[in-house]
Amino acid sequence: MTTPELARIPVRSPLALTRRWVTLLAPPVFGARSLWLTWLDDQGLMLPLVIPIDDVPLTPDSYVLRGVMQMHETVIAQRGVAHLAMALCRPGDSVLTEDDDEWVEALRADLDDGIDETWSLHLAAGGAVVSVVGLPV
């Protein structure tokens, strides 16, 4: 198995992570809602693993949030990575909505207390990718 080229290029800044999502999600136009997950190690190298969770609800529910936590814990146990990077992908334009804010708050409530690692969230919609919760510097 060969390592994808992107996995060899470290992500070292919030802008670099946004650019990575632009590359991974090109074109960032979606007909349905999904939440994409990937992980970066402590050197900023992305695991060659990107997991889309399709058909996520308009506002977060405990089932999806529990699934995110379980996937993260599994990856951490196997790979020991340091950062969970997520992209909320949806139809419409890239302006943050109240529903997007609910996702941010629910993720904050679960992840800030539930994991030791850092996390970030981007919004991908309407042909754009914007940082919502940035990569810590």
Side-chain angles (χ1 to χ4, degrees):
M1 183 172 135
T2 61
T3 303
E5 187 63 32
L6 282 179
R8 293 187 200 128
I9 303 168
V11 172
R12 293 195 172 120
S13 71
L15 179 58
L17 183 55
T18 300
R19 288 180 177 157
R20 180 66 53 93
W21 278 120
V22 168
T23 300
L24 290 171
L25 300 171
V29 177
F30 298 88
R33 300 177 67 83
S34 58
L35 182 67
W36 292 56
L37 313 174
T38 193
W39 290 264
L40 305 172
D41 70 14
D42 58 356
Q43 302 298 308
L45 296 173
M46 188 179 91
L47 293 183
L49 175 67
V50 179
I51 300 173
I53 303 170
D54 293 328
D55 299 319
V56 295
L58 188 61
T59 57
D61 63 25
S62 60
Y63 178 76
V64 172
L65 295 171
R66 212 172 26 254
V68 169
M69 290 289 287
Q70 289 171 344
M71 280 187 267
H72 179 70
E73 289 168 0
T74 298
V75 171
I76 290 296
Q78 294 178 0
R79 301 289 188 114
V81 295
H83 180 81
L84 167 61
M86 296 175 286
L88 179 61
C89 305
R90 61 164 174 73
D93 60 28
S94 59
V95 174
L96 234 57
T97 66
E98 288 181 24
D99 299 325
D100 300 332
D101 286 336
E102 286 189 43
W103 273 98
V104 171
E105 292 311 311
L107 289 167
R108 258 197 190 109
D110 276 21
L111 298 177
D112 284 354
D113 291 335
I115 66 173
D116 293 331
E117 299 76 26
T118 60
W119 65 277
S120 60
L121 178 68
H122 281 73
L123 172 65
V129 177
V130 295
S131 178
V132 179
V133 176
L135 178 72
V137 286

